[in-house]
Amino acid sequence: MSLRAVIASVQDREKRLTVFDPPDERVVEELREYFASQAVRVTEGTTDSALSGYVVLSDEHDDEVLAAVDLRHLDGDLTAAPGEQGAFAPILEHLDGTTFTSYDLRQMMAATREMEDRAWRAGTGELHAGFQRVGAIRAQKGVYEDLATKDLDIHTYCAPSDEHPEIEGVTVHQEDSREIRESWFVVFDGGGNPNDACALLAEERGDADERSFYGFWTYDPTIVGRVLDHLNEQYAVPLN
C-alpha cells in the first residue's frame, strides 16, 4: 500500500458524462471546459430513447447511469459557484472521489482550506496534513496553531529539516520518504461522524517551476479510512 496506490484505485472509478443530442455544439465544449481539471470524460451521443436532450453521468466501467439532467435546465448553470449549481447538482453529487488531472497551487490551497475547515467545525477527531517541505509548514503555522486549540489530534508531515517549527499540540513527522516529498494531502477522520470525513490527496508532477498536482478529493469515509490507515501504519504509530 502507498499513497500513489490509493490515487490509482480512485482513478479506476472515473466517470463518463454523455451529452445526448445537444441542440448546440457549444454545450459540449462548455462541459469539457468545465471538467477540464477533472478526470471526467465528456462525450457526445445520440439516442432515440427518453434520454435524448439529457446530460447523463455514468460509471466508466459498468455503464451504470448515476444521474441525468435535462439540457434545458442547464442554461447558465455551469458558471455558478460550487454549491449553487441548481439543476446541475445531481451530477456534482456523484463526482465525489473523482480524480483531478491538474490542480495548481491556488486550487490546491482552496481544497485544503475546505478540509481544514471541516476539522475546525467538528472540533474533534484526527487530522493529518502532508506539506512536502518544511517551509510550507512554517507558512501555515498560524493556521495549525488555531486548529490545535480544538480537541484535534493533529499530525503534519514533511521531508527532514533542521528548521521545522515547534507547534504546540501538533506532531511533526519528518520522513525521508519519496511519497512524503511528492504528496500533498489533508485528511480528516470526521471526529466520529462519517459524514464529516474528508480527504485531499495529490501527487506533484511535472515542471518544478509550474507546480501541478494529480490526485483526488473525497468525502467517502471508506477511502478516507484507507488513507488514514496507511499514514498511521507507515508513519504515525511507533513500531513495537
Side-chain angles (χ1 to χ4, degrees):
M1 173 61 71
S2 66
L3 295 179
R4 175 176 286 184
V6 177
I7 292 173
S9 71
V10 174
Q11 181 182 9
D12 288 339
R13 300 171 55 179
E14 288 175 356
K15 309 295 192 300
R16 180 174 67 252
L17 197 68
T18 305
V19 187
F20 286 108
D21 304 316
D24 190 325
E25 286 296 325
R26 288 177 298 179
V27 173
V28 180
E29 292 307 312
E30 286 177 4
L31 285 165
R32 284 177 177 151
E33 182 178 352
Y34 184 78
F35 290 107
S37 65
Q38 290 184 298
V40 177
R41 191 161 69 92
V42 179
T43 64
E44 182 179 344
T46 184
T47 179
D48 294 329
S49 73
L51 290 178
S52 181
Y54 276 73
V55 175
V56 177
L57 185 72
S58 58
D59 189 277
E60 187 71 271
H61 295 282
D62 59 17
D63 289 329
E64 178 189 1
V65 173
L66 303 173
V69 174
D70 191 327
L71 279 168
R72 293 171 299 179
H73 297 159
L74 288 178
D75 186 35
D77 251 8
L78 294 180
T79 59
E84 301 175 356
Q85 296 295 338
F88 208 51
I91 299 290
L92 295 181
E93 288 172 3
H94 287 278
L95 292 181
D96 171 34
T98 297
T99 52
F100 51 78
T101 57
S102 180
Y103 267 18
D104 59 21
L105 289 174
R106 179 188 59 80
Q107 291 168 307
M108 289 296 295
M109 284 303 303
T112 292
R113 289 292 176 257
E114 159 66 14
M115 308 299 159
E116 292 167 343
D117 188 55
R118 279 196 168 221
W120 170 267
R121 293 196 307 268
T124 186
E126 199 172 305
L127 177 66
H128 294 247
F131 289 90
Q132 300 181 282
R133 305 167 179 83
V134 71
I137 295 182
R138 287 199 300 269
Q140 300 302 316
K141 181 179 179 181
V143 173
Y144 279 78
E145 285 176 335
D146 288 342
L147 285 166
T149 64
K150 300 288 188 174
D151 187 24
L152 292 165
D153 180 15
I154 303 174
H155 297 260
T156 62
Y157 303 76
C158 67
S161 171
D162 294 332
E163 302 176 355
H164 74 276
E166 297 291 340
I167 307 176
E168 186 175 354
V170 175
T171 302
V172 179
H173 300 267
Q174 299 187 79
E175 302 290 345
D176 189 12
S177 163
R178 178 178 176 179
E179 70 173 6
I180 294 301
R181 292 192 301 271
E182 296 181 353
S183 300
W184 179 325
F185 56 87
V186 185
V187 192
F188 176 53
D189 70 353
N193 182 355
N195 292 328
D196 283 337
C198 57
L200 167 70
L201 171 58
E203 183 179 61
E204 185 169 2
R205 298 181 180 178
D207 194 324
D209 294 330
E210 296 182 7
R211 299 178 66 189
S212 63
F213 296 82
Y214 177 96
F216 68 89
W217 43 262
T218 186
Y219 302 104
D220 184 330
T222 300
I223 300 175
V224 172
R226 289 179 60 196
V227 180
L228 287 173
D229 286 346
H230 173 71
L231 293 173
N232 280 318
E233 291 169 8
Q234 190 70 26
Y235 305 111
V237 178
L239 297 176
N240 293 327

